[in-house]
Amino acid sequence: MISAEEARVLVCESGKRLLREGLVARTWGNVSVRISDTHMMITPSGRPYAELTPADMVAVNFYDLKYEGHIKPSSELKLHCEVYKKRPHIEAVIHTHQMYASIVAAAQKDVQVLDSEHQRILGAAVIKAAPYALPNSKAITFGTEKAIEGANAALMANHGCVCIGRSLEDVFLVCKTLEDACALYIDSFKKKTKAL
Ligand SMILES: [Zn+2]
């Protein structure tokens, strides 16, 4: 686990990295890390990543959603909270609206992970899609938590995906691998359609 001060810098940098690496558009998507047995550090709500500073990151109690100060945490914080509560070995969570994962998520399909190296990094041969529910609702939090069971990622119908891991570096790799796996999966469909 890392200190709150280290986490501020790391989460802020990771928000900017999401943008640089094309994993989010505008202010969509959010990043968090665990900083204690009760708290996580998460990106703020609705602020452009390019303008963020470490002081804008918000420490939130994942049991009661409380935080100090006037900066609001990401509106999608409940999903992050659920992951930290239920999975003590998870240290970092990223939610993105990355393109290929979003396409498969919009089709409400589970992803068959075709490459064995992708399977190793994603932790499963199938990445499940949680059914559609309103953003930040109990239903989406519950559905996504269920879909991620036994894997390092889950799709959220019409709402991108969530990736989890033991460090932010690991989670970035999961996000990028999920993108590759979804691209391959979409491509396999195109080939099947052509063969018909
Ligand atoms: Zn979102």
Side-chain angles (χ1 to χ4, degrees), residues 27-30 74-76 79 95-97 135-136 140 156 158-161:
T27 64
W28 300 338
N30 29 71
S74 161
S75 62
E76 292 168 300
L79 178 59
H95 162 61
T96 77
H97 290 238
N136 205 30
I140 200 158
M156 299 156 75
N158 298 353
H159 201 103
C161 60

Side-chain angles (χ1 to χ4, degrees), residues 1-4 7-8 32-42 58-68 80-81 84-85 90-92:
M1 226 177 299
I2 57 171
S3 74
R8 282 188 184 281
S32 70
V33 290
R34 182 193 292 273
I35 54 170
S36 73
D37 292 339
T38 53
H39 283 72
M40 64 176 180
M41 188 68 75
I42 189 166
V58 192
V60 179
N61 182 317
F62 44 75
Y63 286 100
D64 61 14
L65 310 188
K66 285 194 179 137
Y67 59 92
E68 284 177 10
H80 295 249
C81 291
Y84 293 121
K85 276 194 289 186
I90 292 301
E91 299 284 333

Side-chain angles (χ1 to χ4, degrees), residues 37-137:
D37 292 339
T38 53
H39 283 72
M40 64 176 180
M41 188 68 75
I42 189 166
T43 42
S45 171
R47 307 265 289 260
Y49 280 120
E51 295 165 17
L52 290 182
T53 69
D56 298 324
M57 304 302 114
V58 192
V60 179
N61 182 317
F62 44 75
Y63 286 100
D64 61 14
L65 310 188
K66 285 194 179 137
Y67 59 92
E68 284 177 10
H70 62 280
I71 299 172
K72 277 175 76 177
S74 161
S75 62
E76 292 168 300
L77 83 165
K78 283 187 201 152
L79 178 59
H80 295 249
C81 291
E82 263 331 279
V83 170
Y84 293 121
K85 276 194 289 186
K86 295 229 173 84
R87 294 162 207 277
H89 63 288
I90 292 301
E91 299 284 333
V93 178
I94 298 181
H95 162 61
T96 77
H97 290 238
Q98 55 194 57
M99 189 170 74
Y100 289 113
S102 297
I103 293 170
V104 181
Q108 305 203 13
K109 283 202 170 290
D110 296 343
V111 186
Q112 308 292 326
V113 183
L114 303 169
D115 181 288
S116 58
E117 182 63 9
H118 291 171
Q119 286 182 10
R120 188 183 65 76
I121 294 165
L122 295 171
V126 176
I127 297 299
K128 293 191 187 136
Y132 178 74
L134 285 177
N136 205 30
S137 61

